[in-house]
Amino acid sequence: MTQTLKTKVLIIGAGTGGYVAGIRCGQLGLDTVLVDGGDGLGGTCLNVGCIPSKAIIHAAGKFETVSKAAGDGTLGITASEPAIDLSKTIAWKDGIVKKLNAGVGALLKKSKVKVIKGWATFSDAKTCVVKTDDGDIRITAEHVILATGSEPVELPFLPFGGDVISSTEALSLSAVPNKRVVVGGGYIGLELGIAYRKLGAQVAIVEMADRILPLYDKALTDPVMKWLETHGVELHLGARAGGFGDGKLNVTTRDGEPLQLDADKVLVTVGRRPRTKGWGLENMGVAMAGPFVKTDSRCATSMKNVWAVGDLTGEPMLAHKGSRQGEIVAEIIAGKDRVFDPVTVAAVCFTEPEIVSAGLGPQDVEGRDDVITAVFPLAAIGRALAIEAGEDGGFVRVLASKSDHRLLGVQAVGQHVAELSNSFAQMLEMGAVLEDVAGTIHVHPTLGEAFHEASLRALGHAIHI
């Protein structure tokens, strides 16, 4: 027997866009139902993406630190050769995910959001049937927020299964593979490839482009390249992966030569695509923009009172973008005047070293003579040297308008620079000029001083260089 439910707001997807939209709807007094049919409360980010991957990266960094202390030691510290029980590391990671899952559930409950676990299928724009363990529920809503997220892209000649894995499986291995090949030199593949290299695996990376992280400029990626080369990561750039069998991945090199790479596990990270199949999107009458749902500045689709947030709406496919969109849609439904029009959505790669990019980069202003660019090396920052973060070629770079000194973009590469990302985004969002950054007293000793000095350098009077 099918139950029937009517609600003011129906949210499909419990990821960072959907659950934040649900909490905000509840805070605003809107009758809200959230249908979770994917990875669990928190979505990809919390369960099989951002959070668990950073936990593994953190554990790998700890293991590397102890490894450096073995033998002759480091910083005057010596230790015995370390060992890792990856199953225990994974159990620790799973504990973090479980705790955060419970936290999201508690927040939704506090906001009086009704959560239904099951897969929704739409028959029209405002009606769906959710299949749950307790039977079907037919839901009709005045407003629908689509937040179905994204999923890993599968290569037809390297289908997921067995020893060919996506990032999801890479975060739940019971042992460190002896030899791992990563197909795809973007941020997901590099983050996990570097982590497993630190844990002791032999790692090879196969990337079709001529360099890693092709969306970032070469100056930002060079320190990462240096780390990979120094730590024995095998790089095959301009190469194409083929089929996998008998523990060997077929590769065609840049020169067109065939090559076989030994691999216990092949991690395929060639991108993510919006999750648009299997839930009746085609029955909702919404316009598409290529593979994504088309939205305007209010996150509204072409169908009245149907909204879309997060990865479903296009690049950048970042959790914090989806969360902000979720907040905005909830407030619009509640009658507030809101638009999604950020100056920047900062991005971070948790590679070794880390990369941050906010606003315009050199590739965006190429050929323009009205832009000031200034770079300040982390090697000139005391805090960076004290935590061994200044010797990898790291830097902070600012781009600003020559005419009025308005900040146009800020980038950084170096250990721990991810923590600078919010400062970069905040200054850009507030329309800061170089003098605003230069006139802000930055705490000493911190890495943030490099942002201050880069701005001073753009003005022609850096102090510590």
Side-chain angles (χ1 to χ4, degrees):
M1 182 177 177
T2 301
Q3 301 179 53
T4 300
L5 189 63
K6 291 184 178 181
T7 185
K8 174 78 172 182
V9 182
L10 169 63
I11 302 170
I12 305 298
T16 50
Y19 89 74
V20 170
I23 291 170
R24 190 71 184 112
C25 282
Q27 291 173 342
L28 293 165
L30 302 172
D31 182 29
T32 304
V33 173
L34 173 63
V35 176
D36 168 30
D39 300 303
L41 296 179
T44 294
C45 177
L46 193 157
N47 293 277
V48 293
C50 314
I51 301 303
S53 67
K54 303 315 167 282
I56 297 299
I57 289 168
H58 175 70
K62 292 286 190 182
F63 185 82
E64 183 189 38
T65 298
V66 179
S67 297
K68 286 180 179 179
D72 293 335
T74 180
L75 306 179
I77 303 168
T78 57
S80 301
E81 195 70 34
I84 185 167
D85 183 340
L86 191 62
S87 62
K88 291 183 178 179
T89 307
I90 296 300
W92 165 75
K93 178 266 297 181
D94 289 342
I96 294 170
V97 170
K98 184 177 180 180
K99 183 176 181 179
L100 291 171
N101 274 144
V104 171
L107 291 169
L108 289 165
K109 184 177 181 180
K110 179 181 177 182
S111 296
K112 297 181 172 56
V113 176
K114 181 178 179 61
V115 177
I116 297 175
K117 180 70 175 176
W119 191 258
T121 303
F122 282 83
S123 55
D124 60 47
K126 307 290 173 57
T127 308
C128 72
V129 172
V130 182
K131 292 190 174 298
T132 75
D133 292 340
D134 299 321
D136 294 352
I137 303 175
R138 184 175 183 272
I139 306 175
T140 58
E142 183 180 337
H143 293 266
V144 173
I145 302 175
L146 303 176
T148 54
S150 62
E151 59 194 4
V153 172
E154 185 178 52
L155 294 172
F157 49 85
L158 278 175
F160 294 132
D163 291 327
V164 178
I165 60 176
S166 72
S167 56
T168 298
E169 293 78 33
L171 295 169
S172 296
L173 297 178
S174 58
V176 177
N178 182 36
K179 294 184 178 180
R180 161 175 283 188
V181 177
V182 179
V183 178
Y187 77 95
I188 297 175
L190 283 175
E191 286 183 359
L192 294 176
I194 288 170
Y196 274 93
R197 181 69 191 103
K198 289 181 177 181
L199 292 172
Q202 295 298 312
V203 175
I205 295 172
V206 179
E207 167 57 45
M208 285 181 59
D210 289 331
R211 60 186 187 84
I212 59 170
L213 297 168
L215 295 180
Y216 293 90
D217 66 87
K218 188 173 180 296
L220 288 175
T221 61
D222 276 350
V224 181
M225 276 289 293
K226 180 181 177 182
W227 191 95
L228 295 172
E229 292 166 354
T230 301
H231 290 79
V233 175
E234 192 177 332
L235 288 171
H236 298 277
L237 302 177
R240 292 177 178 270
F244 175 72
D246 298 325
K248 295 183 182 296
L249 177 71
N250 293 306
V251 175
T252 303
T253 69
R254 189 199 322 249
D255 299 325
E257 298 295 323
L259 177 70
Q260 286 193 324
L261 298 177
D262 293 331
D264 300 321
K265 299 288 181 183
V266 176
L267 170 60
V268 179
T269 58
V270 294
R272 296 183 65 85
R273 62 188 173 204
R275 191 175 280 127
T276 57
K277 305 295 184 183
W279 48 274
L281 176 63
E282 64 277 6
N283 300 323
M284 299 184 73
V286 300
M288 303 295 289
F292 303 104
V293 172
K294 186 177 182 180
T295 57
D296 62 15
S297 63
R298 300 167 70 244
C299 302
T301 71
S302 59
M303 179 62 68
K304 183 177 173 59
N305 290 348
V306 175
W307 316 82
V309 302
D311 290 358
L312 193 62
T313 66
E315 299 289 354
M317 295 168 75
L318 298 171
H320 41 290
K321 181 199 78 171
S323 294
R324 182 62 184 140
Q325 288 178 320
E327 286 183 82
I328 285 171
V329 170
E331 291 171 1
I332 290 172
I333 293 171
K336 299 180 184 295
D337 185 15
R338 298 285 187 269
V339 294
F340 180 70
D341 186 26
V343 172
T344 185
V345 180
V348 176
C349 292
F350 288 86
T351 45
E352 186 65 53
E354 296 170 350
I355 296 174
V356 177
S357 182
L360 300 182
Q363 66 273 30
D364 301 309
V365 300
E366 191 173 354
R368 289 174 54 175
D369 59 5
D370 61 339
V371 176
I372 306 169
T373 301
V375 175
F376 193 86
L378 290 178
I381 297 295
R383 172 66 172 165
L385 294 180
I387 59 174
E388 298 184 286
E391 300 175 358
D392 54 14
F395 61 84
V396 173
R397 178 177 61 209
V398 297
L399 291 83
S401 168
K402 276 186 181 178
S403 61
D404 61 5
H405 292 178
R406 186 79 56 195
L407 279 179
L408 301 175
V410 193
Q411 292 83 42
V413 57
Q415 292 183 50
H416 312 295
V417 296
E419 302 306 322
L420 302 179
S421 58
N422 294 313
S423 177
F424 296 169
Q426 183 181 42
M427 284 294 187
L428 287 165
E429 196 68 40
M430 294 178 69
V433 295
L434 291 170
E435 287 82 357
D436 290 323
V437 185
T440 300
I441 298 175
H442 284 67
V443 175
H444 175 77
T446 64
L447 296 182
E449 291 175 277
F451 186 20
H452 181 237
E453 290 277 8
S455 300
L456 287 172
R457 195 173 196 184
L459 292 168
H461 52 89
I463 301 299
H464 290 96
I465 197 167

